[in-house]
């Protein structure tokens, strides 16, 4: 492998402010802010809008769309055989 072409991977804290969730992992992202982690060390922090703690799919608050209503409306509008042409 060639040297000096890969970005530097370092420990970074990803913080979801809406859910109050933090995750320490490795990343190549560079951040200006820092935060003190549970082990006493200081790590760069990246604020994210959505994480597994606030995403509707993972929290169980997601809604299922009514796709049958859309299909029926399409068939009423264009007829049953319109999709096969």
């Amino acid at each position: 492998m060639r040297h000096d072409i890969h970005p530097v991977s370092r420990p970074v804290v990803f913080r979801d402010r809406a859910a109050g969730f933090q995750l320490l992992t490795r990343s190549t992202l560079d951040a200006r802010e820092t935060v003190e982690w549970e082990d006493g060390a200081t790590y760069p922090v990246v604020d994210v809008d959505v994480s597994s703690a606030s995403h509707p799919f993972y929290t169980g608050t997601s809604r299922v769309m009514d796709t049958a209503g859309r299909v029926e409306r399409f068939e009423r509008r264009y007829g049953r055989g319109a999709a096969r042409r």
Side-chain angles (χ1 to χ4, degrees):
M1 283 179 40
R2 292 183 7 201
H3 296 286
D4 300 330
I5 63 168
H6 301 285
V8 177
S9 175
R10 63 180 85 58
V12 176
V13 174
F14 287 92
R15 178 173 55 191
D16 183 358
R17 288 186 176 252
F21 177 72
Q22 296 181 352
L23 174 71
L24 176 63
T25 187
R26 296 190 65 79
S27 177
T28 58
L29 289 176
D30 192 19
R32 297 175 194 264
E33 296 182 40
T34 59
V35 67
E36 187 172 332
W37 192 246
E38 299 161 355
D39 61 1
T42 303
Y43 298 105
V45 63
V46 176
D47 291 325
V48 294
D49 295 331
V50 179
S51 70
S52 61
S54 63
H55 193 278
F57 178 77
Y58 294 107
T59 59
T61 59
S62 63
R63 293 179 281 159
V64 177
M65 285 185 55
D66 178 26
T67 56
R70 289 180 164 202
V71 171
E72 291 169 359
R73 186 173 46 207
F74 178 82
E75 288 177 352
R76 274 196 317 264
R77 194 177 287 169
Y78 300 109
R80 183 136 179 94
R84 293 187 197 146
R85 292 181 191 171

